[in-house]
């Protein structure tokens, strides 16, 4: 089980990313476009740097939806490897079976 504070901080980051997503996409498009004048590109870069660090999507950590474990995340199920195994053995994940050969 992860610390409650870490889980809460990650949720705050998700909200911040969602709040700034549209504006960040516009600024990044301006910066990427080769036809944009250098002054406008520099202004877009400066505005992008003024935004909070947590506005970047790379700051959000994938965590287990059950207990918040940050490592061993399996994106298909939104669970960590530990909980995938437990729930698969219990039969809670449809279509998942224990392999044997």
């Amino acid at each position: 089980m992860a610390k409650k504070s870490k889980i809460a901080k990650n949720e705050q980051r998700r909200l911040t990313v969602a709040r700034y997503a549209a504006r960040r996409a516009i600024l990044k498009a301006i910066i990427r476009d080769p036809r944009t004048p250098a002054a406008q590109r520099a202004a877009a870069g400066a505005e992008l740097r003024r935004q909070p660090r947590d506005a970047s999507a790379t700051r959000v950590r994938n965590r287990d939806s059950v207990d918040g474990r940050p490592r061993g995340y399996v994106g298909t199920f939104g669970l960590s490897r530990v909980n995938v195994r437990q729930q698969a053995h219990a039969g809670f994940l449809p279509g998942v079976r224990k392999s044997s050969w």
Side-chain angles (χ1 to χ4, degrees), residues 86-97:
Q86 287 175 352
Q87 292 190 16
H89 283 301
F92 296 139
L93 302 177
V96 177
R97 294 188 341 165

Side-chain angles (χ1 to χ4, degrees), residues 16-99:
T16 305
V17 167
R19 189 178 320 125
Y20 286 93
R23 184 63 185 152
R24 282 182 69 85
I26 292 168
L27 292 172
K28 285 184 168 246
I30 290 170
I31 293 169
R32 251 193 321 266
D33 188 9
R35 296 170 293 170
T36 307
Q40 189 178 4
R41 188 175 296 147
E47 186 178 342
L48 195 61
R49 284 190 297 275
R50 273 195 305 273
Q51 290 185 348
R53 281 187 177 180
D54 286 346
S56 174
T58 58
R59 303 270 296 189
V60 176
R61 179 86 171 161
N62 288 328
R63 289 184 173 271
D64 187 319
S65 59
V66 174
D67 62 3
R69 188 176 203 278
R71 306 260 177 154
Y73 180 78
V74 181
T76 309
F77 304 107
L79 301 170
S80 67
R81 61 182 175 77
V82 176
N83 281 324
V84 166
R85 182 180 164 93
Q86 287 175 352
Q87 292 190 16
H89 283 301
F92 296 139
L93 302 177
V96 177
R97 294 188 341 165
K98 185 177 187 307
S99 65

